[in-house]
């Protein structure tokens, strides 16, 4: 039976529209890092480097399931970890208006636990032959542990996320915890190319201690 994250892992990917505490264990990811305004056309090139490899892995194993403990699965959603550049941090205050050109990001798509680095590297080489993309060389296989986090579902435009973060930060304070940094994770449950901004669904998450 196919593993569908929307049904099997609701706690991780389908949270409520109110904050909650969650502990995230180690998972495998394909990652790619960059910087700049996500509204710029080249941002889509980073996304376009991840998906062909993810589907190459999925379809390659479906045809020839050579990895131990293999099972069929739905490709996981796109995620992004967001920060601002070191230069921007020098002059940053709570009242500083965000300049999106200062953003730095790591985009990623989770992989099942049975996926290995060796299989990923083999797949990347195969995908390069079919659909060349210079950004394929920036894709990495990484094991990432998020640990203790606060998360909630944000519905609406990405530009309105600060309102949700304010709610999350108040919840964190009331729980006797603190947000570790302004770095945060977004999990994109909607395709921004097909869904109206006011209907976008995004999981917001940040680390706490």
């Amino acid at each position: 039976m196919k593993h569908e994250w929307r049904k099997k892992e609701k706690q991780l990917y389908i949270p409520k529209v109110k904050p909650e505490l969650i502990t995230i264990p180690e998972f495998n990811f394909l990652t790619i890092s960059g910087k700049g305004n996500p509204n710029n056309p080249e941002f889509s090139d980073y996304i376009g480097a991840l998906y062909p490899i993810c589907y190459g892995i999925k379809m390659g194993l479906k045809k020839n399931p050579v990895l131990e403990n293999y099972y069929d699965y739905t490709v996981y959603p796109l995620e992004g970890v967001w920060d601002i550049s070191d230069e921007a941090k020098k002059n940053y205050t709570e009242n500083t208006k965000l300049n999106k050109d200062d953003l730095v990001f790591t985009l990623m798509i989770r992989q099942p636990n049975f996926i290995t680095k060796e299989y990923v590297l083999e797949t990347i080489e195969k995908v390069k032959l079919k659909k060349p993309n210079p950004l394929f060389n920036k894709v990495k296989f990484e094991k990432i542990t998020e640990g203790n986090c606060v998360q909630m579902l944000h519905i609406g435009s990405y530009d309105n996320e600060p309102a949700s973060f304010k709610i999350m930060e108040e919840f964190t304070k009331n729980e006797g915890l603190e947000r570790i940094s302004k770095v945060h994770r977004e999990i994109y449950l909607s395709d921004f190319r097909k869904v109206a901004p006011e209907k976008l669904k995004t999981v917001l998450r940040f680390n706490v201690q």
Side-chain angles (χ1 to χ4, degrees), residues 42-106:
E42 53 266 27
F43 180 74
S44 295
D45 295 337
Y46 286 86
I47 301 174
L50 286 175
Y51 275 107
I53 299 170
C54 289
Y55 279 99
I57 291 169
K58 172 182 165 60
M59 299 312 296
L61 286 170
K62 196 168 184 179
K63 293 177 182 177
N64 186 19
V66 294
L67 296 183
E68 187 176 357
N69 299 321
Y70 165 78
Y71 52 80
D72 191 17
Y73 62 95
T74 302
V75 171
Y76 281 91
L78 178 71
E79 306 185 30
V81 174
W82 295 88
D83 197 2
I84 58 174
S85 67
D86 291 339
E87 188 64 29
K89 288 177 182 176
K90 293 178 181 178
N91 301 310
Y92 180 83
T93 69
E94 289 294 328
N95 298 318
T96 301
K97 184 177 180 180
L98 176 65
N99 180 347
K100 292 184 178 181
D101 291 334
D102 292 330
L103 288 169
V104 294
F105 56 84
T106 298

Side-chain angles (χ1 to χ4, degrees), residues 1-2 5 16 22 26 32 34 38-39 47 52 68 102 104 108 114 128 131 141 161 170 178 183 194:
M1 182 179 293
K2 181 186 291 188
W5 54 267
K16 298 177 181 178
I22 187 170
E26 180 182 85
I32 186 169
N39 294 320
I47 301 174
E68 187 176 357
D102 292 330
V104 294
M108 62 189 73
F114 57 78
K128 281 180 181 179
K131 191 177 181 181
F141 175 82
E161 287 178 358
E170 187 66 25
E178 62 178 335
V183 176
K194 302 176 182 178

